[in-house]
Amino acid sequence: MIDALQYPFMQRALVVGVCLGALASYYGAFVVQRRMSFLGVGLSHAAFGGIALGLLLGIEPFWVAVPFTVGVGWAIAWISDRGPLTNDTAIGILFAVAIALGVVLLSYRQQYTADAFTYLFGSILAVESFDVITLLVLVAGTAALAPLWPRWAYATFDRTLARADGVPVQRDDLLLITCIAITVVAAVKLVGAILVAAFLVVPAATARLHARSFRTMTLGAMGVGTSTAVAGLFASFYLDWPSGAAIILAQALVFGLALAASRR
């Protein structure tokens, strides 16, 4: 472990991994409890479309993918609330369009294969200083929004009663979707667009097996997310695996152990 930490790219990846593990698990608790796991899939594919557009335009992909992904998230919420289609149908349509758009845009680049592999499956080597600064800012922003956690939790369990008590549920939902979308975009370099949905869901699902309250579920998910991110990154370094796959496999292992323990 000490040898691995001597490399700057590993140091950056660990900082990003810990921050993402905490953030994704924090928001993942809401995703799992609200039964919105498919939303993570839709947003991750939308992020890939935005990243492809940024690469084609020669702009930092993060700045293009964030508004692109947030826009898709808001469209999903709007269609689900006001349109004739259900939530999963809207997500299925929009994420298919986003991934198809991303593939078409990347086909215009000469380094299509390398870019596709990096952003689809994640890579330790892709993490840069910009990603570290971005994640630290996101952590600070999430901490600033911590007072909203009780309102989000209230609406998670009873939206009707929350509306009756004057909670701006729809506005809070859009803000929550925005935070999830930004977290998904930030996670793509490390985890990959294909696997980032699991980064949201698996730690929260693991914590839900043993938690007796939503607060303990959230804290437990953050613990699982950060620890498996660190374990997965070291496994990726020594086994020469893609970082995203290594992290998700570590999370799956912990989930399997927690599931077996819950049955006993």
Side-chain angles (χ1 to χ4, degrees):
M1 294 177 65
I2 295 177
D3 293 338
L5 291 175
Q6 293 177 354
Y7 296 95
F9 72 87
M10 191 64 180
Q11 297 170 6
R12 293 192 297 268
L14 279 175
V15 174
V16 170
V18 170
C19 292
L20 280 176
L23 285 175
S25 303
Y26 175 80
Y27 294 116
F30 294 103
V31 170
V32 170
Q33 193 62 39
R34 294 188 181 197
R35 300 181 180 179
M36 296 166 52
S37 300
F38 199 35
L39 176 66
V41 178
L43 293 179
S44 63
H45 286 70
F48 181 73
I51 287 170
L53 180 59
L55 290 172
L56 182 64
L57 297 176
I59 304 173
E60 169 59 43
F62 180 83
W63 301 119
V64 180
V66 165
F68 189 90
T69 308
V70 171
V72 172
W74 286 10
I76 292 171
W78 185 86
I79 293 174
S80 301
D81 290 340
R82 303 181 183 181
L85 301 177
T86 59
N87 187 45
D88 58 341
T89 303
I91 294 172
I93 294 172
L94 291 175
F95 93 67
V97 172
I99 197 70
L101 179 63
V103 172
V104 170
L105 293 175
L106 281 180
S107 67
Y108 286 96
R109 287 179 54 85
Q110 295 180 351
Q111 297 178 342
Y112 167 71
T113 303
D115 290 336
F117 187 85
T118 298
Y119 286 101
L120 282 174
F121 301 103
S123 172
I124 294 178
L125 299 177
V127 178
E128 302 172 349
S129 300
F130 171 81
D131 302 298
V132 176
I133 297 173
T134 301
L135 262 298
L136 293 177
V137 172
L138 289 180
V139 169
T142 299
L145 294 175
L148 293 179
W149 187 89
R151 285 176 17 191
W152 286 345
Y154 191 3
T156 297
F157 287 93
D158 197 330
R159 294 173 62 84
T160 303
L161 188 58
R163 282 196 181 99
D165 281 346
V167 176
V169 174
Q170 188 172 8
R171 186 180 67 188
D172 284 357
D173 284 350
L174 291 178
L175 180 58
L176 180 60
I177 289 174
T178 301
C179 294
I180 295 172
I182 296 173
T183 302
V184 165
V185 174
V188 167
K189 276 190 178 180
L190 185 68
V191 186
I194 290 180
L195 301 175
V196 71
F199 206 55
L200 280 171
V201 175
V202 178
T206 303
R208 193 175 188 273
L209 292 173
H210 296 278
R212 296 186 178 183
S213 69
F214 188 60
R215 185 181 301 274
T216 56
M217 173 184 168
T218 303
L219 294 175
M222 293 173 69
V224 172
T226 53
S227 59
T228 53
V230 173
L233 285 172
F234 278 108
S236 173
F237 178 83
Y238 287 109
L239 300 177
D240 196 23
W241 289 357
S243 55
I247 292 173
I248 300 305
L249 288 175
Q251 292 178 350
L253 176 62
V254 175
F255 174 79
L257 294 174
L259 182 61
S262 68
R263 290 184 174 181
R264 292 182 180 178

